[in-house]
């Protein structure tokens, strides 16, 4: 039987805000897709940083197949791995350990090679709340004052899974202890150059712990100031989930925040991620692995 492949002409892209976010229509991510369609989605993703597809019916195999068109997939998580038989999956389950990520972060920046793209498919929505926000860190960089931009260009920041993010996210149920069984650290440039677009963006987020060459207090102040610019409302989009929604974001130019305003209601999404490259700064200097198993 001949399969019909979606073509690039099927892809409709609608911007959601002035700086970040777009909704894509006309694509069934669970169906076979032509190269032109995948290229059109990738183009929209690189331009808008996060894109959303409503009403997608995906199981593990079809989600992996779709995400795999964008690059080699990672394991589900560097600490927890993935469920049996589903090694690439990370279940973002409000009833599970350490998945209430109500803290601004870029995924897994305590690794020297964080994921490039993330694909999160919504399975269960709470009746009210549970939105997610994304921030465009490339727009934030472009809008920095000149002096702060020059300072950021030469700044190096150490990211760790033992940080304020960990304290907030893994504060109960004994999850913090299991999360910190292995400590990961990586030193990143505060400003990275995107490997595909050449854009410069701020690389901080909740795993950022200290600035190299500065006292602890001064380093925290620098990180706080950059964070403030990165998360200005003008640089963000807020998505109200519906069951079946698929969000795809460029982890190389965004931070995100899962709003925890739904009490004990159930919220479940399933995420797979694409392997990234080692970030490089404005001066070309790459990130450095400092600590932890790098087999992820």
């Amino acid at each position: 039987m001949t399969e019909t492949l979606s073509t690039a002409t099927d892809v409709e892209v609608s911007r959601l805000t002035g700086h970040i976010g777009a909704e894509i229509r006309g694509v069934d991510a669970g169906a076979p897709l032509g190269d032109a369609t995948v290229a059109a989605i990738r183009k929209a993703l690189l331009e808008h940083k996060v894109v959303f597809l409503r009403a997608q019916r995906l199981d593990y195999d079809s989600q992996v197949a779709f995400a795999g068109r964008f690059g080699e997939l990672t394991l589900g998580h560097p600490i927890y791995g993935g469920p049996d038989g589903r090694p690439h999956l990370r279940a973002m389950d409000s009833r599970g350990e350490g998945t209430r990520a109500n803290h601004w972060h870029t995924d897994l920046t305590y690794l020297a090679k964080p994921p490039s793209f993330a694909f999160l498919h919504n399975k269960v929505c709470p009746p009210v709340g549970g939105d997610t926000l994304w921030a465009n860190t490339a727009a934030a960089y472009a809008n920095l004052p000149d002096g702060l931009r020059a300072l950021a260009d030469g700044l190096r920041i150490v990211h760790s899974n033992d940080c304020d993010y960990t304290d907030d996210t893994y504060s109960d149920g004994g999850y913090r202890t299991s999360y910190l069984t292995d400590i990961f650290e990586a030193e990143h440039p505060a400003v990275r150059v995107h490997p595909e677009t050449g854009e410069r963006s701020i690389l901080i987020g909740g795993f950022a712990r200290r600035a190299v060459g500065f006292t602890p207090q001064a380093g925290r102040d620098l990180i706080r100031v950059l964070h403030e610019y990165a998360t200005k409302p003008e640089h963000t989009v807020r998505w109200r989930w519906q069951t079946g929604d698929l969000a795809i974001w460029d982890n190389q130019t965004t931070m995100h925040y899962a709003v925890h305003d739904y009490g004990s209601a159930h919220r479940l999404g399933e995420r797979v991620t694409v392997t990234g490259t080692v970030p490089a700064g404005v001066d070309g200097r790459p990130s450095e692995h400092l600590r932890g198993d790098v087999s992820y």
Side-chain angles (χ1 to χ4, degrees):
M1 186 175 84
T2 302
E3 293 179 313
T4 301
L5 301 183
S6 298
T7 64
T9 56
D10 298 324
V11 180
E12 301 176 12
V13 181
S14 301
R15 293 176 64 191
L16 296 175
T17 75
H19 286 297
I20 181 173
E23 184 174 349
I24 291 180
R25 300 183 183 89
V27 173
D28 178 358
L33 300 177
D35 291 344
T37 298
V38 174
I41 297 170
R42 192 183 192 102
K43 180 177 182 295
L45 174 59
L46 292 173
E47 179 179 352
H48 300 289
K49 315 310 180 194
V50 57
V51 296
F52 306 95
L53 292 76
R54 293 281 195 191
Q56 300 296 306
R57 291 181 290 185
L58 299 170
D59 58 16
Y60 173 74
D61 289 337
S62 57
Q63 185 175 357
V64 163
F66 175 68
R69 299 292 299 278
F70 294 79
E72 181 183 356
L73 300 186
T74 71
L75 292 176
H77 195 274
I79 296 171
Y80 300 115
D84 288 344
R86 298 185 293 170
H88 301 297
L89 186 72
R90 173 63 171 161
M92 312 303 292
D93 191 340
S94 63
R95 296 174 179 173
E97 56 183 353
T99 55
R100 289 181 177 173
N102 53 328
H103 198 96
W104 281 109
H105 65 289
T106 297
D107 284 336
L108 304 176
T109 56
Y110 50 78
L111 303 177
K113 190 166 67 173
S116 56
F117 305 124
F119 299 72
L120 181 62
H121 185 227
N122 186 274
K123 297 291 190 179
V124 179
C125 285
V128 177
D131 298 353
T132 303
L133 296 92
W134 280 265
N136 182 343
T137 57
Y141 173 81
N143 291 326
L144 288 176
D146 291 345
L148 181 56
R149 188 184 305 114
L151 175 62
D153 282 345
L155 190 63
R156 304 278 294 189
I157 296 177
V158 173
H159 295 236
S160 175
N161 61 324
D162 185 6
C163 58
D164 292 344
Y165 176 95
T166 309
D167 293 339
D168 288 348
T169 307
Y170 297 85
S171 58
D172 53 14
Y175 299 144
R176 190 177 191 279
T177 299
S178 64
Y179 189 69
L180 296 178
T181 299
D182 295 309
I183 301 298
F184 294 82
E185 286 190 349
E187 180 185 305
H188 294 297
V191 177
R192 72 171 297 176
V193 179
H194 196 286
E196 288 190 59
T197 67
E199 280 186 300
R200 297 179 181 184
S201 61
I202 300 171
L203 176 51
I204 45 170
F207 297 113
R209 183 169 184 178
R210 63 183 184 273
V212 176
F214 290 85
T215 64
Q217 183 61 56
R220 284 182 176 270
D221 288 343
L222 287 170
I223 292 168
R224 177 184 54 78
V225 169
L226 291 173
H227 182 276
E228 181 178 323
Y229 277 96
T231 58
K232 287 180 63 175
E234 290 83 354
H235 301 144
T236 66
V237 64
R238 181 168 182 148
W239 185 250
R240 180 166 294 175
W241 293 96
Q242 297 176 11
T243 301
D245 286 355
L246 175 66
I248 313 170
W249 64 92
D250 186 347
N251 198 54
Q252 302 158 116
T253 54
T254 59
M255 295 195 295
H256 57 281
Y257 186 119
V259 180
H260 182 217
D261 59 351
Y262 48 92
S264 60
H266 192 199
R267 182 179 186 271
L268 171 63
E270 294 184 343
R271 187 193 71 190
V272 298
T273 54
V274 172
T275 300
T277 60
V278 176
V282 175
D283 59 0
R285 182 181 168 193
S287 299
E288 297 180 21
H289 167 72
L290 301 179
R291 188 175 178 187
D293 181 4
V294 293
S295 60
Y296 171 73

